[in-house]
Amino acid sequence: MNNRPQCAKCPRMLCYPNIAADEKPSFDEAPRFCPSKSKQDLIEKSMREYDRQDIREFARLASVQEFECYEQTPDGFRTKIPRMEETIQFAHKNGFKRLGLAFCVGVANEARMITGILEGKGFEVVSVCCKAGAIAKETIGIRPEEKIPGPSRYESMCSPITQAEILNSEEVDFVILMGLCVGHDTLFIRYCKGPMTVLAVKDRVTGHNPLAAVYLSQSYYARLLMPTSA
Ligand code: SF4
């Protein structure tokens, strides 16, 4: 049995205790796989990163933004800010002026709307579509029968590396990732040099809400729980 972290299987969530500010969290009853207990060295090492002034300030503003997404009412917490607005507020808090928008051609209309919203809030927006360059898909070894419009049609490849390099060259303050495919987003994140956030992830079936299939995994998407690879 190894002690690899398994927070997703934690029965207690002792790292998020409901205690007074002057009390100390205790992990005495934490499960064997609890990283709060077994990874003390890495916790200390990672916390030293917050000693860097820029990182500390970025982290502080992110948590202030998180706080502002709720309102305290006599009935308890209520949420009040959608992610689009959260992104705008966070960008303003950080003093970002020029935003990069990396989007999938499948959400080009949404990219246009988002650009209008951001420009209306005073930002300069530099946007790059995943197809920029119009390089043929065959370039990376895709066979004609693997092209979405069919073997006899030209299909531009998605090039998240190109998207990242263009946005890097434009020296944007903050990048917003929108609707890239699984794997394409991985490459974008790997090559993008500046700070970035994800506004939306692509889900062709659920209107870009991948958790919908998770919520339905005990009914309409029960196949997700079947022991197969697909
Ligand atoms: S850090 Fe420990 S207490 Fe927190 S969720 Fe993970 S296993 Fe549970």
Side-chain angles (χ1 to χ4, degrees):
M1 291 284 241
N2 66 57
N3 282 350
R4 289 210 176 93
Q6 295 280 0
C7 287
K9 296 180 181 173
C10 180
R12 305 287 300 274
M13 296 273 174
L14 296 168
C15 55
Y16 193 48
N18 183 13
I19 56 178
D22 58 356
E23 289 181 77
K24 267 185 84 82
S26 164
F27 293 97
D28 292 347
E29 294 178 28
R32 175 184 44 78
F33 52 67
C34 174
S36 292
K37 219 158 66 166
S38 63
K39 302 283 184 187
Q40 265 305 318
D41 50 341
L42 286 177
I43 290 169
E44 280 163 26
K45 178 173 176 237
S46 55
M47 289 312 297
R48 284 198 292 277
E49 285 294 302
Y50 296 96
D51 292 340
R52 290 169 50 185
Q53 212 280 329
D54 56 334
I55 300 294
R56 189 184 193 83
E57 181 58 4
F58 196 86
R60 188 186 71 79
L61 290 175
S63 286
V64 169
Q65 185 59 56
E66 176 195 9
F67 168 76
E68 290 176 1
C69 288
Y70 298 89
E71 67 186 323
Q72 324 269 352
T73 74
D75 298 327
F77 285 113
R78 278 174 192 250
T79 53
K80 61 172 183 176
I81 296 179
R83 190 174 179 106
M84 185 72 240
E85 216 169 3
E86 184 182 359
T87 305
I88 290 165
Q89 291 183 358
F90 184 64
H92 277 313
K93 274 189 181 62
N94 279 277
F96 298 144
K97 304 277 185 248
R98 184 182 299 162
L99 305 183
L101 181 64
F103 67 94
C104 171
V105 70
V107 289
N109 193 34
E110 290 87 337
R112 209 165 284 127
M113 291 191 287
I114 289 165
T115 298
I117 290 170
L118 294 172
E119 287 178 346
K121 295 293 182 188
F123 298 104
E124 180 189 355
V125 182
V126 181
S127 58
V128 185
C129 172
C130 61
K131 301 294 188 186
I135 307 297
K137 253 190 179 175
E138 286 85 344
T139 309
I140 50 167
I142 293 299
R143 298 192 302 266
E145 62 272 24
E146 292 172 327
K147 291 195 295 184
I148 295 165
S152 63
R153 307 297 301 167
Y154 187 92
E155 188 181 12
S156 305
M157 63 177 275
C158 303
S159 181
I161 298 176
T162 303
Q163 285 178 291
E165 292 296 356
I166 292 173
L167 291 177
N168 290 342
S169 76
E170 291 291 331
E171 298 183 334
V172 295
D173 300 320
F174 193 47
V175 173
I176 298 171
L177 190 56
M178 221 258 297
L180 296 200
C181 307
V182 173
H184 293 151
D185 55 6
T186 313
L187 282 172
F188 183 87
I189 291 164
R190 178 164 173 178
Y191 282 84
C192 178
K193 292 207 175 97
M196 58 157 290
T197 189
V198 180
L199 181 65
V201 293
K202 175 186 282 170
D203 191 319
R204 298 170 183 85
V205 176
T206 64
H208 312 302
N209 175 18
L211 289 179
V214 175
Y215 296 136
L216 294 175
S217 63
Q218 293 182 339
S219 55
Y220 297 106
Y221 286 104
R223 66 178 186 258
L224 288 173
L225 295 173
M226 290 175 187
T228 59
S229 57

